[in-house]
Structure formats: structure tokens, C-alpha cells
Amino acid sequence: MLVTLSIRDIVLIERLTLAFQPGLCVLTGETGAGKSILLDSLGLALGARGDSSLVRHGSDQAGVTAEFDLSRQPDHPAFAILREQELEVEDTLVIRRTLTADGRSRCFINDQPVGVTLLRRLGETLVEVHGQFDTHGLLDPRTHRDLLDDYAQIATQGQQVAASWRAWRQVEQARLTAAEDAARARAEEEYLRHAVEELDQLAPEEGEETALAEKRVVLQHREKLIDGITQAYGELSGERGAERALASALRTLSRLAERAGGRLDPVITALDEAANDVSEAARSLQALSADMDSDGGNLDRIEERLFALRAAARKHGTDVDGLVGLRAEMGRKLSLIEDQGDLLQKLAGQAETTKAAYVTAAKALSAARTKAAAQLDKAVAGELKPLKLEKARFVTKVAPLEEEGWGPGGIDDVAFQVATNVGAPPGPLAKIASGGELARFMLALKVVLAQVGTVPTLVFDEVDTGVGGAVADAIGERLARLGGHDLQVLVVTHSPQVAARGAHHWQVRKKAAGGRTVTEVHPLSRTERLEELARMLSGAEVTQAARAAAESLLSSPPLL
């Protein structure tokens, strides 16, 4: 709820801080005293259009700060908005806006600078204003379906419908994707078959390019390699080669070993191992030489294979190793063409089944909405007659949507409509009702929906315009009833019957000071309330009869 409202240099207000309480809060005062300035200031804090004319004459800048306490509503929508914007989340929410004389404004939420669009979005969750000139919230048709669902207490059904919607759309998207893939594959089928045939004939293997390139380099230097291998083999196994030298050394030392007392044993062992290693190296050189002799005519064949693989890779815009994966993907697409009938039929069946489940759940939700709509209409109708709207009709229209309009919220469009004249068709609230009627319609609807709304502060601007007596008292009773639903209701009124119902009462008045006029707002004691009610009853001259009538209103406001 709104805790404090601080206003600086707006129109006739120089410095003003108001502390508000829960329940019904009334603001009264003579016409022109500045009550509308308070609402304009609150609207500015909540993101309304900033007009430089609001800045008090002679001041460079105006400012409004509104503090809200949301500790009683831990799941209030404002918290989700703050988290979404990565702003600090606290039970106390402070909104501040400044406006300069040249029309520039700045907005802050908990001292963090924000844009006016975010401020307006947040403001709509905090305060609803209902009056002749400024109305939103219930007038927005986008809110009507959720309000009806809350009134009907069918959140579980709504969740089931949303889950069914998601399941259907997931399968339907898979079906559409498969159909698109199959269509593209059919369009390139001839190309795919030709490309697959070419790749099958080529039969590329992963890592083949590297192996062929290495072998090609070897064959390109074959003669030099063979000469080197032959020379090396001769150094190892020729008449003066290492093998003979090692063998000779071993024989000599072996004959002397017994006489050396074991000192030659490590040398003999090392020479023996070296002889074995040299023999193994010689055999390897022999084998390598034989392989290179046999590969003598393979260079052309290897180059032809390597060039063919690289040409295919260039043709398909990949590398040689990528040809294997490309062949697999082309094969998958061809398989999709061949199997598309079965796959699409399967997905179509699943889509039909999940759609049927969604429609069944949505129709059940629609039936619950229709039933609740009739109950809501009846409840609102019961509020209209005492508000001097006995000829008016309130209708909650639940209409089926075309399939393209279906969604997680179901298959219905919900709209609150009214007819103010007998025989006239109902139409949108904002277009059919006049200013005074509209505010009373909003009051009636708010009384019925009081338990399901999330906006903690309601503002009614002169909801009693053009009525008096029993009707004004009925308005006051309903406003007081709203204030008893853990809501804060602020009402600007000229009706003593409404003002007498308030739990808290402020008087707005103008006074001349220092050669200029300023607006002041004073909280009233019981004695001061009595005098204010008497003024509202009698006019300029307050009579004893008016005071007696005011005492009667204040002491025991009549109940309906």
C-alpha cells in the first residue's frame, strides 16, 4: 500500500508530505482547492506523462516521491518486475520522479535510475485510478480473462490448459520442422542421389588425406631414400660394418672374460645388446628397402587418389575428413525422403492427439469461465441498483477465439461490457459509460473482485459526482467495504455521506502566503472532521443544524 507521498514544487504545492494508512482514506475540500494536484502528483510518480506546466511557477524543478509497503504481499507482481530488471527487491519500494521546468524528467526505483516505461509498468501493479478522466486497470481488456479466472478460482484448470498447450505446440513444431526438412530434401533429391553415388564410389576414409600426403612425400624422394638406406645398411652389415666389428669385439672379450675376474661382464653385456640392436636395425632397413622397391610404381596412383579426394572436398565446400560426415548427412536426408511418410504420419498422429487433449481441457476451462461469468454478472448487478445504475446491465462476455488466437490461456476471449440504457446492446466499459457512471461501475466491480485483485491501492476520483443522499451513502458503504479487504482506498469526494465513511480524513485547502497562493493538506481530528462535514452539508455558512447532521453521519453512518 501507499505509505507516504512527498511532493515538492508542483503547481500550488511547495512542500508536502502525507502519511497514509490502510482502509478508506478520504480527501475533501472546496472546488479548486487542489485535490486534483495530489492525484496528478501521484500519477507523475507512477509514470504518467510529465508536463512542464506541473512545475510550480518560479521553480526550476518539481519532484514526487511515493513509498509503498508490500510486506503483506510476498508474491506481488512488482517483485517479479524488479527481479526481471535486476533491481534490488525489498518489502519497501520507493519511487521517485523529478521534472524540470523545460520538461525533462528522471525516474528512480529504490534510488536506481530507470526509464519512464518501466516506472509506468511498475505503477500499474501498485495503484489503480478510477475516475472521470483517468482510468486503467479494469478497463484494459487484456486483464479481464485473468480476473475472471481468479474470481472463479480455476487456477489449477488454467495450469492444465497451459501444460496441454505446450505439449501440443511442441509436437506440432516437430511435425512442421520434419515437413520442412522433407520438403527441402525432396527438392534436392536428385542432387543428393548423384552426390551420394559419387562419394560411395570415392569411399573416403577419415584420416586418409594425411596418410596419403605422407606417403606421397616419401615416394617423391624414393631414390634418395633408397640410396641412403643402402648406404646405411652397408655401414651396418658390410664387410667393414658395425655388425662384424661388434661380433669381433665380442669374440675377443669373451675369450678373455674368465681371466678378468668378471670385470668385462658389463662390457660384454652392453656389446651383446648393441649387436642385437644393430642387427634389428639392419633387418628393418632391409624390409624398408624392399617396401620402397615394391612401391616404385605407386606414386601416380597415390597422387591421383589424393587429388580426387581434395577435388571432392572443394566441390562440397568441406575438407577431406569432412567428406565422411557429409556422406552420412546426405544419406540421412535421403532416408528421410524414403521414410518421411511414416515419420510425418506418426508426428501428425501425435499432434492430433495432443491437440485433442488441449481442446478438451480448454473447453472444460471455457465451461467453468462461462459459469463463473454468470455468477460475476449477478454479483455485480446486485451492486448496481444502490449506485443509481438500476437500468444498467453488466455482462461478462466469454466468446470463442479463432484457432489462430488460441494459446496457453485457452480458447476464449473474455471482456467486461456494460449497457446503460434499456434495450441497448452491451459494449466496452470505457466507450459506453459516462465519466460518473464509469467510476461507479468500477466501484461495483471492484467490490465483487476485491478478494482476487493484486493492486493494493485503489484511487477513486469523485466517484460520487452527480449523486447524493442514499446513492452517495451506498457509494460510501462500498468504498468502506473495499477498505476492509486488506486494501487501501483513497477517494476524492464532495459527498459528506462518503466522507463520513472514511477511516482517515484529510482536508485540502488553499491559503495566501507571502503574496502567493499555496495548497495545503491537513489530517483532521474528529472535531475538525465534524466541522468539515458540516461545511459540506451546508455550504459557505455552517449552521448548527448542519453540525447536528454531521454528528449523525459521523457517529453512526447508515448501513445498507
Side-chain angles (χ1 to χ4, degrees):
M1 71 170 188
L2 179 63
V3 179
T4 59
L5 180 66
S6 298
I7 305 170
R8 299 290 182 270
D9 294 322
I10 289 188
V11 193
L12 298 179
I13 298 176
E14 291 184 336
R15 297 287 186 275
L16 177 64
T17 298
L18 297 177
F20 292 97
Q21 293 83 29
L24 178 58
C25 306
V26 297
L27 293 121
T28 62
E30 294 185 359
T31 300
K35 298 184 293 297
S36 62
I37 301 175
L38 295 176
L39 297 187
D40 289 342
S41 300
L42 179 59
L44 186 67
L46 297 174
R49 181 177 176 273
D51 191 330
S52 60
S53 63
L54 292 173
V55 180
R56 186 174 64 86
H57 180 69
S59 298
D60 296 327
Q61 177 177 286
V64 184
T65 301
E67 180 182 350
F68 293 87
D69 179 9
L70 300 179
S71 59
R72 296 184 180 182
Q73 293 178 278
D75 57 348
H76 192 277
F79 293 133
I81 295 175
L82 293 175
R83 292 188 187 98
E84 174 191 309
Q85 299 297 321
E86 298 183 352
L87 294 173
E88 186 176 356
V89 177
E90 297 179 355
D91 289 340
T92 299
L93 182 62
V94 179
I95 294 176
R96 180 165 58 92
R97 190 172 181 191
T98 60
L99 180 66
T100 61
D102 58 4
R104 292 176 298 168
S105 77
R106 298 183 67 195
C107 310
F108 302 86
I109 296 175
N110 288 346
D111 286 331
Q112 296 297 311
V114 298
V116 69
T117 300
L118 175 60
L119 191 67
R120 187 180 305 115
R121 182 182 167 201
L122 189 68
E124 289 175 353
T125 72
L126 299 170
V127 178
E128 274 189 16
V129 179
H130 303 290
Q132 298 187 65
F133 307 108
D134 186 11
T135 54
H136 60 269
L138 288 176
L139 289 184
D140 185 353
R142 294 173 298 181
T143 68
H144 295 176
R145 187 167 66 186
D146 288 342
L147 284 170
L148 178 61
D149 288 355
D150 289 341
Y151 176 77
Q153 297 183 339
I154 51 178
T156 301
Q157 276 185 274
Q159 292 168 2
Q160 292 172 349
V161 169
S164 298
W165 163 263
R166 289 191 295 270
W168 171 35
R169 298 317 302 171
Q170 185 176 3
V171 173
E172 182 63 18
Q173 186 58 52
R175 185 190 69 80
L176 291 173
T177 300
E180 290 171 0
D181 287 347
R184 284 194 296 268
R186 282 194 298 271
E188 57 180 354
E189 181 177 4
E190 184 177 348
Y191 162 75
L192 286 173
R193 293 196 182 281
H194 177 71
V196 165
E197 184 179 351
E198 281 188 339
L199 289 175
D200 284 346
Q201 290 177 356
L202 188 62
E205 296 178 4
E206 200 164 333
E208 186 178 5
E209 180 186 24
T210 300
L212 289 173
E214 291 176 352
K215 200 166 188 179
R216 178 179 176 234
V217 170
V218 170
L219 293 177
Q220 284 176 331
H221 300 88
R222 175 175 171 274
E223 292 186 3
K224 289 183 178 180
L225 289 170
I226 289 176
D227 288 344
I229 290 170
T230 302
Q231 183 179 346
Y233 180 76
E235 295 292 337
L236 293 177
S237 300
E239 290 186 4
R240 300 177 62 84
E243 281 188 303
R244 287 177 177 266
L246 288 170
S248 177
L250 274 171
R251 286 193 300 271
T252 301
L253 293 177
S254 295
R255 287 195 295 267
L256 299 173
E258 292 181 359
R259 303 174 188 175
R263 295 183 180 182
L264 291 177
D265 292 349
V267 178
I268 293 171
T269 300
L271 287 172
D272 186 51
E273 290 176 355
N276 290 333
D277 289 342
V278 169
S279 295
E280 180 62 30
R283 287 193 294 271
S284 296
L285 286 173
Q286 271 188 313
L288 184 57
S289 178
D291 287 343
M292 296 195 72
D293 282 338
S294 63
D295 284 341
N298 287 344
L299 179 59
D300 291 342
R301 179 177 59 81
I302 289 172
E303 288 186 335
E304 181 180 352
R305 173 68 177 173
L306 184 60
F307 296 157
L309 288 170
R310 289 176 174 173
R314 286 194 300 272
K315 177 179 179 180
H316 294 289
T318 185
D319 54 32
V320 173
D321 284 345
L323 291 175
V324 176
L326 180 65
R327 166 61 182 85
E329 175 64 16
M330 289 179 171
R332 187 193 69 80
K333 290 183 177 181
L334 285 174
S335 296
L336 179 62
I337 296 173
E338 295 164 358
D339 299 338
Q340 65 181 330
D342 292 340
L343 175 62
L344 292 177
Q345 186 175 359
K346 179 182 178 181
L347 289 173
Q350 291 177 350
E352 187 176 346
T353 300
T354 52
K355 177 183 178 181
Y358 166 72
V359 171
T360 298
K363 284 184 176 179
L365 180 63
S366 181
R369 283 172 174 159
T370 301
K371 180 179 178 181
Q375 296 170 346
L376 178 61
D377 293 350
K378 184 177 179 180
V380 174
E383 300 289 337
L384 294 180
K385 185 175 180 180
L387 296 175
K388 203 177 179 180
L389 292 170
E390 62 276 0
K391 294 183 180 180
R393 248 184 337 125
F394 177 84
V395 178
T396 305
K397 184 179 179 183
V398 181
L401 291 166
E402 297 294 330
E403 185 170 334
E404 57 266 22
W406 294 359
I411 58 177
D412 308 308
D413 176 56
V414 176
F416 297 152
Q417 298 185 341
V418 296
T420 55
N421 298 309
V422 177
L429 279 167
K431 293 183 178 180
I432 300 299
S434 65
E437 291 172 333
L438 182 59
R440 280 178 279 152
F441 269 117
M442 292 297 99
L443 175 58
L445 189 53
K446 260 302 178 184
V447 168
V448 175
L449 296 176
Q451 298 290 357
V452 301
T454 59
V455 177
T457 299
L458 308 178
V459 178
F460 289 89
D461 183 13
E462 300 190 9
V463 66
D464 49 17
T465 298
V467 298
V471 176
D473 190 58
I475 291 173
E477 191 273 338
R478 280 152 179 78
L479 289 169
R481 199 193 315 168
L482 271 179
H485 285 294
D486 289 329
L487 291 173
Q488 180 185 57
V489 181
L490 276 59
V491 58
V492 175
T493 181
H494 288 287
S495 168
Q497 290 91 344
V498 172
R501 294 281 186 175
H504 316 281
H505 191 159
W506 289 266
Q507 183 190 45
V508 183
R509 59 194 181 208
K510 288 194 297 189
K511 81 169 187 178
R516 57 187 177 187
T517 302
V518 296
T519 291
E520 298 180 337
V521 182
H522 295 277
L524 301 182
S525 65
R526 190 182 189 284
T527 301
E528 291 169 328
R529 287 189 73 185
L530 187 65
E531 197 68 15
E532 174 68 357
L533 291 175
R535 179 197 66 77
M536 296 171 74
L537 285 165
S538 64
E541 183 179 348
V542 179
T543 65
Q544 289 302 319
R547 290 189 176 95
E551 177 67 39
S552 177
L553 282 176
L554 199 57
S555 299
S556 55
L559 299 175
L560 292 182

